[in-house]
Amino acid sequence: MRLQPRTVALLGAVWLGGGLGVALGLREVVRLQARTARRVIGKPLGEDVHAADRTYKRKYGEPLDLLLLGDSIAAGLGAETAKHTLGAQLARRLAKSTKRSVHLHTAAHVGSETSMLRAQLAALPAGYRADVAVIVVGGNDITHRVKVSESRRHLGEAVRSLRERGTAVVVGTCPDLGALTAVPQPLRAMGRLASRQLAAAQRDVTTELGGVAVSLAEVVGPFFIAQPDQMFAVDRFHPSSAGYRRTAKAMLPGVLVSLGLSDALPHGHHGPADIRPRPA
């Protein structure tokens, strides 16, 4: 995609200017990046997701409650069938690992920003308490230019609320937007920088509050970059069924650690200070 003269001029200001001019130029480039990403990606998948909530591996008994919160990735947009969503694939893997049935409850919504986690929690059934909550959010914060400090604050509120309920928390940090080949360079590079800054803030606040953070950019990002045709859905933005399978596999160790069923954190997983990563 050819860059517009306005964008080229702004990039020139970023690289050649200084002080306030650079800051203003960067802000404008990010604004253009968000607009470009929304135009290029569009909404070929719509906003309807497969209903995957049910009890998995019921025969095992003694069910665990798994709660999915966040945006379209947590909701499973892009999966071909209900069983291919992130929640369903993670529930099945958790059930097989623990030999316990897993009841999945998906409260995530397509298009959600981190600020919307509060409403998702408020909408849960009265008295509901999950054993573990998995949160994936952040991409919409980047495209809508939400300040990292605001995103961090809202995520911290959600993690704290869940922990106070006695729910273990696992956060899949903001995916690497630099993997979105549908967005042209150099705008894609700006997305990579912004998403990694947000992911670092999400990791820090999650572990500070006793949760486990899984760096999606580290543990699954390389697969999306190397195999985009397999890992992405038709919109080249959301994961495909294969992408969700890879993501669920990567997040499972963090879920097991959060539940106290393992103490081994692989590379890219970050736990509270009293949990040390497994040596490479």
Side-chain angles (χ1 to χ4, degrees):
M1 180 177 178
R2 186 176 179 179
L3 291 177
Q4 298 299 315
R6 177 176 171 79
T7 304
V8 174
L10 286 167
L11 290 169
V14 170
W15 289 106
L16 301 178
L20 179 61
V22 173
L24 293 175
L26 282 170
R27 188 178 300 116
E28 182 67 4
V29 168
V30 171
R31 184 181 69 81
L32 289 176
Q33 175 199 30
R35 179 187 298 172
T36 299
R38 288 192 289 269
R39 183 176 67 251
V40 171
I41 294 166
K43 291 186 177 182
L45 298 173
E47 295 187 353
D48 295 328
V49 296
H50 295 290
D53 288 3
R54 64 180 182 84
T55 301
Y56 291 82
K57 300 295 180 181
R58 190 181 296 272
K59 64 182 180 181
Y60 289 151
E62 195 183 358
L64 289 166
D65 272 275
L66 169 64
L67 173 64
L68 266 289
L69 298 163
D71 57 22
S72 53
I73 293 179
L77 186 65
E80 294 179 5
T81 67
K83 69 179 182 180
H84 292 153
T85 61
L86 176 61
Q89 298 206 54
L90 188 54
R92 287 199 304 273
R93 290 178 180 275
L94 180 59
K96 291 179 180 178
S97 295
T98 61
K99 299 304 178 184
R100 295 176 62 178
S101 61
V102 175
H103 177 71
L104 172 66
H105 182 91
T106 304
H109 290 287
V110 175
S112 290
E113 298 174 14
T114 310
S115 61
M116 300 173 188
L117 291 175
R118 180 185 299 175
Q120 292 179 18
L121 288 171
L124 293 174
Y128 174 81
R129 184 190 72 81
D131 292 289
V132 58
V134 170
I135 303 173
V136 182
V137 73
N140 293 309
D141 293 58
I142 299 299
T143 60
H144 291 93
R145 298 177 294 127
V146 178
K147 292 181 179 179
V148 171
S149 58
E150 292 185 14
S151 296
R152 175 188 168 117
R153 176 171 59 84
H154 289 299
L155 179 60
E157 289 176 356
V159 174
R160 184 178 294 106
S161 176
L162 287 163
R163 297 289 292 148
E164 289 174 350
R165 300 182 190 197
T167 297
V169 179
V170 179
V171 173
T173 62
C174 184
D176 180 6
L177 298 192
L180 302 178
T181 56
V183 178
Q185 293 285 19
L187 303 181
R188 197 188 327 154
M190 300 290 294
R192 168 165 289 163
L193 176 61
S195 58
R196 294 202 172 212
Q197 289 176 334
L198 177 56
Q202 292 175 323
R203 177 199 64 212
D204 291 346
V205 71
T206 299
T207 55
E208 287 169 9
L209 295 173
V212 174
V214 180
S215 174
L216 297 183
E218 293 183 59
V219 300
V220 299
F223 295 97
F224 281 78
I225 293 172
Q227 303 170 356
D229 292 339
Q230 297 179 35
M231 296 291 106
F232 283 108
V234 295
D235 66 350
R236 311 294 286 185
F237 184 84
H238 293 91
S240 63
S241 295
Y244 282 122
R245 181 170 61 250
R246 175 61 65 177
T247 303
K249 180 180 180 181
M251 295 195 72
L252 179 63
V255 173
L256 294 174
V257 167
S258 74
L259 289 168
L261 302 176
S262 173
D263 60 1
L265 283 171
H267 172 74
H269 290 63
H270 309 273
D274 57 337
I275 300 178
R276 302 299 179 185
R278 181 171 57 192

